[in-house]
Amino acid sequence: MGKNVGKDSEDYGKKWVKKDEERENVYWPTDRLKEKCHISDKEIYEKAKKDPHNFWSKKAKDMFDWFEDWDEVMEWNPPYFNWFLDSKTNLSYNCLDRHLKDKRNKAAIIWEPEPLEEEKRILTYQDLYRKVNKFANKLKELGVEKDDPVTFWMPMIPETAIAALACQRIGAWHSIVFTAFSPKAVKQRMEDAGSEILITVDGFYRRGKTIELKEQINETLDEIEAENCIVVQRAETNPSMDQERDHFYDELMNKSEEYCEPEPIDAEDTGFLLYTSGTTGKPKGIKHSCGAYGVQAALTMKWIFDIHENDVFFSTADIGWITGHSYSLYGPLALGATQIWYEGSPDYPKPDRLWKIIEENGVTQFYTAPTAIRALRKEGDGWVEKHDLKSLRILGSVGEPIDTSTWKWYFEKVGGGRCPIVDTYWQTETGGILLTSLPGVGPFVPGVAGPPLPGIGYDVLDATGEPVKEEESGEIVIDGPYFGPGMLRGIYKNPEKYEEEYFSEFGEEVYFSGDGGVKRELEIGGQNLIEVTGRIDDVLEVAGHRLGSAEIEDAIDNLDEIMESAVVGKPHDVKGEVPAVFAVLKQGETGSDELRDKIVKIVREEVGPVATPYAAYFVTDLPKTESGKIIRRFLKGLVRDEELGDMTTASNPSCLSELAEKVGYNG
Ligand code: ATP
Ligand code: MG
């Protein structure tokens, strides 16, 4: 076992959760955690509920510095709303300037590069501040103005944070495209946003390879007649550069003024554009505000990850996703926290890359996705057991429902049975976390996200729009106007889609999330916990019963042989639909009829005979988005012999040929 920097800490190795005395699978914070946490009294829910507007108004003042106060906290013209009317602030100021007086030498970003032999880079708040100011001046010199869209095709390197904050400083909006997407996706997004400038890298490292971006994008830049392209040199490649259009980042920075006045920006002005993951179809261009969004990112960061002065926060989310925006950038920096960024992949050069980072940096809060946990678990327990992870206090999960079996592994193996898991449910659209238990309040229940955040008006409705009873399932909604300030301000250039997608199902006063949930009997502070059961589109209607895909998958994933599974409905003459199972096996396991029988048995026992699978296919991989979510619409297409639809956001479309063969797809 290596040395752990966290060992000096009084928190090292402490127990932060205990079991419920009566109920199985329910955990609560220990007294020690309650004492430590910013929020440990369940009364916060009732207080916030009494007057949500006042609640958010107070929080906005606590969390942010404002250049000018608001006249009105919120305005609601269904389905549109505004927060903190006519106030002025600046996201970059809140992430940087205000920390200089007491945190200038504190690490803002600790960057762990791939290759591992390369020294890590530490940027203090002062470093980050200087670089952001200089880069902001350069953007201005290149003609970027307030409200101009700036597209990024950037990996997880510190310059990405610098450039994003520089945009915020001058009121330009970034639109960050994940590096695994193609030049075509960059082109579409640049055209959609009307963006004339791209920020990218010569190349970067992933799994031992150099991924060259600039060379790949040259043709696109010519085609769309981009005005400027800024190239950060990360990988010492020698990309071809257009003398007029292309600029090396280092050369720009060498000749830049040191200070750039932060633009006073209306809390409601656009802060950035970001496209959704594309799990259910073509990605939507979500428009976010700046100050109002920032308040929610900061507050959720503080309460849910319970950030303290000496903590080291590590979110594995790429900056190309909303989680990367809210919890790898704006949330941590707004709080003046220290956080880890890493380049590369969770399993390269070895499957203990993340565990090694946690140990070496004494990480206190770790935030990742079920898909990553499942993949690392598959590599065997030895990789995690090799490392001392006792610095950890809080674990987080995001992106998909986390099945009980994966939850327990995460809890026991990574958290040593000591740490709460905050299962955080939210969307690109919501800007910040909406459903989760607070660490100092609890409870923590495998597979159950939790109650809504204080100040958020969540409910679960049946098809007629009535709230469901306890232990019943329905559709997850937010009752207007109690959206957090971080909610989307529209789909870019597409108000019709905004109204149709989110505000038509239950009328224009209710935000429809598209996800299904069960209102659990368990409550805290008068709020029922909500179990997210997956997309409404993925709900199966079997003989008149509505079954969430997550519920059936959760049962199947309990089997020792199974790594992960996906369930979709296949049309059936009598029952309407019947469940079809796609299962990926753990290493060394083989698919057999006995295993099929076991799957049927466990589903019948845990969910009920109504959910009996009609078929189980053993496959080597499931189709996923670049953010790691299972794309069930492809599986549905396969079992129904229908068109599979938009594939641009799939990370591994090649796995579909194996699946097609297994199900006998002809489409
Ligand atoms: P698209 O909207 O383009 O189909 P997407 O919905 O996957 O893509 P995101 O905004 O990245 O794009 O993901 C949000 C969705 O992820 C939620 O609507 C929900 O289905 C799922 N999700 C996120 N966190 C959780 C969680 N903790 N538990 C269950 N599901 C979650
Ligand atoms: Mg979505």
Side-chain angles (χ1 to χ4, degrees):
M1 248 183 223
K3 284 211 178 91
N4 189 307
V5 286
K7 266 182 188 160
D8 296 337
S9 150
E10 59 178 21
D11 290 341
Y12 175 79
K14 288 295 179 312
K15 216 162 161 55
W16 303 111
V17 280
K18 58 178 190 228
K19 280 189 174 153
D20 188 283
E21 282 161 14
E22 279 149 32
R23 281 163 295 201
E24 225 193 309
N25 277 339
V26 176
Y27 298 82
W28 295 96
T30 56
D31 289 344
R32 188 182 173 85
L33 183 56
K34 281 178 165 296
E35 264 166 45
K36 174 115 193 159
C37 282
H38 295 297
I39 301 296
S40 54
D41 188 346
K42 63 178 196 272
E43 272 180 19
I44 187 75
Y45 291 103
E46 274 135 29
K47 273 194 209 148
K49 203 168 183 176
K50 269 193 204 131
D51 190 351
H53 290 174
N54 190 35
F55 169 83
W56 283 111
S57 163
K58 278 205 174 115
K59 293 304 152 207
K61 293 216 165 114
D62 291 352
M63 301 312 304
F64 255 50
D65 287 4
W66 301 85
F67 303 155
E68 273 173 47
D69 264 355
W70 46 91
D71 303 329
E72 216 179 312
V73 183
M74 199 231 199
E75 184 186 61
W76 171 227
N77 299 313
Y80 296 94
F81 47 90
N82 292 303
W83 286 86
F84 314 127
L85 277 77
D86 298 321
S87 62
K88 301 265 187 250
T89 187
N90 183 293
L91 209 44
S92 130
Y93 178 89
N94 277 283
C95 290
L96 300 168
D97 306 42
R98 65 172 177 158
H99 301 317
L100 294 183
K101 68 177 181 302
D102 56 356
K103 296 186 194 348
R104 68 166 67 221
N105 294 323
K106 182 174 175 176
I109 297 178
I110 300 175
W111 181 63
E112 291 274 4
E114 183 190 310
L116 271 51
E117 303 74 51
E118 196 176 318
E119 278 291 309
K120 64 176 156 199
R121 261 173 81 189
I122 298 176
L123 277 94
T124 63
Y125 274 91
Q126 174 73 21
D127 292 334
L128 198 56
Y129 168 81
R130 273 194 71 223
K131 292 189 156 83
V132 168
N133 274 274
K134 289 173 85 170
F135 194 64
N137 282 328
K138 280 294 160 185
L139 285 176
K140 275 194 193 164
E141 272 174 41
L142 291 175
V144 179
E145 292 179 358
K146 184 168 179 298
D147 291 330
D148 281 349
V150 179
T151 303
F152 288 39
W153 197 32
M154 289 287 281
M156 289 301 279
I157 60 173
E159 285 73 16
T160 308
I162 292 165
L165 289 161
C167 287
Q168 296 299 344
R169 200 155 187 94
I170 63 174
W173 350 316
H174 50 72
S175 162
I176 305 184
V177 185
F178 186 38
T179 49
F181 286 158
S182 64
K184 196 171 147 211
V186 178
K187 182 178 170 190
Q188 279 169 355
R189 285 160 176 72
M190 284 187 82
E191 283 174 341
D192 190 46
S195 169
E196 289 167 349
I197 172 164
L198 180 77
I199 306 179
T200 189
V201 285
D202 61 339
F204 68 102
Y205 302 109
R206 190 175 158 84
R207 308 180 61 81
K209 293 202 186 79
T210 308
I211 318 282
E212 293 194 29
L213 294 190
K214 175 65 168 69
E215 220 39 67
Q216 277 189 64
I217 201 73
N218 277 336
E219 213 179 292
T220 302
L221 292 171
D222 294 342
E223 275 167 26
I224 61 173
E225 296 177 12
E227 278 182 15
N228 289 291
C229 175
I230 300 175
V231 182
V232 179
Q233 281 161 294
R234 160 67 191 128
E236 291 168 32
T237 72
N238 205 359
S240 28
M241 299 283 282
D242 178 298
Q243 285 299 326
E244 293 282 296
R245 182 193 63 204
D246 301 342
H247 321 269
F248 281 123
Y249 169 89
D250 284 342
E251 287 171 16
L252 292 178
M253 292 292 267
N254 282 341
K255 298 178 288 204
S256 183
E257 294 290 324
E258 292 282 327
Y259 181 70
C260 171
E261 185 82 24
E263 184 82 23
I265 293 166
D266 205 289
E268 277 294 325
D269 277 354
T270 301
F272 62 87
L273 282 185
L274 183 66
Y275 291 80
T276 58
S277 295
T279 311
T280 55
K282 195 166 173 281
K284 302 170 278 275
I286 303 299
K287 203 165 80 164
H288 274 293
S289 64
C290 89
Y293 157 84
V295 167
Q296 192 157 352
L299 182 75
T300 48
M301 185 74 210
K302 177 170 174 183
W303 281 11
I304 298 163
F305 297 105
D306 196 50
I307 297 294
H308 290 264
E309 189 54 36
N310 211 19
D311 285 346
V312 179
F313 177 75
F314 180 20
S315 156
T316 64
D318 190 275
I319 192 73
W321 312 121
I322 189 69
T323 310
H325 284 57
S326 302
Y327 303 107
S328 302
L329 188 66
Y330 297 120
L333 296 178
L335 295 190
T338 295
Q339 61 162 333
I340 309 280
W341 273 37
Y342 87 109
E343 181 184 35
S345 161
D347 60 351
Y348 187 87
K350 302 257 172 56
D352 63 347
R353 176 87 199 277
L354 301 180
W355 317 136
K356 192 167 145 56
I357 293 176
I358 295 174
E359 176 171 12
E360 288 181 3
N361 293 284
V363 168
T364 41
Q365 293 93 342
F366 177 64
Y367 192 31
T368 194
T371 181
I373 306 167
R374 285 193 291 257
L376 295 173
R377 179 185 183 187
K378 193 175 167 189
E379 303 286 348
D381 295 356
W383 292 107
V384 54
E385 284 164 358
K386 236 174 86 176
H387 295 277
D388 178 353
L389 306 182
K390 291 204 186 72
S391 58
L392 288 170
R393 187 166 81 245
I394 294 170
L395 300 173
S397 174
V398 62
E400 281 184 294
I402 177 165
D403 56 277
T404 305
S405 165
T406 303
W407 193 100
K408 287 193 168 160
W409 186 85
Y410 193 30
F411 180 73
E412 291 296 341
K413 290 292 164 190
V414 181
R418 302 178 303 106
C419 307
I421 296 180
V422 289
D423 176 0
T424 62
Y425 165 84
W426 59 301
Q427 308 178 309
T428 309
E429 290 88 341
T430 67
I433 295 165
L434 293 180
L435 300 180
T436 190
S437 290
L438 295 173
V441 182
F444 316 104
V445 186
V448 179
L453 193 81
I456 304 274
Y458 250 74
D459 211 336
V460 183
L461 304 183
D462 67 18
T464 68
E466 286 301 310
V468 301
K469 297 197 188 71
E470 287 179 349
E471 298 301 320
E472 282 184 1
S473 65
E475 315 190 358
I476 299 179
V477 301
I478 313 177
D479 283 334
Y482 304 117
F483 314 109
M487 278 291 275
L488 79 161
R489 296 304 194 270
I491 296 180
Y492 191 54
K493 286 194 203 147
N494 200 345
E496 298 81 29
K497 178 102 180 154
Y498 170 83
E499 289 169 19
E500 176 206 308
E501 183 93 13
Y502 311 114
F503 293 99
S504 65
E505 187 81 10
F506 296 108
E508 59 182 15
E509 298 198 9
V510 177
Y511 173 89
F512 172 56
S513 70
D515 290 309
V518 176
K519 192 188 275 180
R520 298 293 295 262
E521 190 188 4
L522 196 60
E523 58 90 34
I524 187 85
Q527 305 285 306
N528 292 87
L529 271 68
I530 295 173
E531 175 180 342
V532 182
T533 50
R535 320 276 171 166
I536 295 297
D537 295 350
D538 295 337
V539 168
L540 285 68
E541 283 261 5
V542 185
H545 296 267
R546 290 169 63 78
L547 302 167
S549 50
E551 210 179 337
I552 309 176
E553 291 159 12
D554 193 82
I556 298 169
D557 294 349
N558 279 318
L559 292 172
D560 284 339
E561 297 86 346
I562 308 270
M563 228 306 280
E564 67 178 339
S565 63
V567 171
V568 293
K570 182 181 160 85
H572 185 274
D573 290 348
V574 182
K575 297 185 177 168
E577 271 185 314
V578 282
V581 178
F582 292 82
V584 179
L585 302 177
K586 284 200 190 131
Q587 253 171 10
E589 300 292 343
T590 43
S592 63
D593 284 342
E594 284 92 75
L595 187 53
R596 280 199 183 84
D597 292 344
K598 269 183 153 176
I599 290 176
V600 169
K601 185 159 174 276
I602 200 158
V603 172
R604 292 177 68 95
E605 277 168 14
E606 305 239 332
V607 189
V610 62
T612 306
Y614 94 101
Y617 306 106
F618 300 116
V619 298
T620 43
D621 204 2
L622 294 168
K624 294 197 175 151
T625 60
E626 288 289 358
S627 53
K629 296 171 206 257
I630 299 171
I631 311 180
R632 290 183 189 73
R633 68 187 156 96
F634 289 165
L635 304 177
K636 231 191 248 177
L638 289 174
V639 300
R640 290 167 187 231
D641 237 340
E642 286 168 6
E643 292 262 335
L644 300 188
D646 184 279
M647 286 212 188
T648 52
T649 53
S651 65
N652 55 347
S654 61
C655 79
L656 289 171
S657 54
E658 180 201 5
L659 276 56
E661 195 180 310
K662 293 246 156 104
V663 303
Y665 174 73
N666 305 309

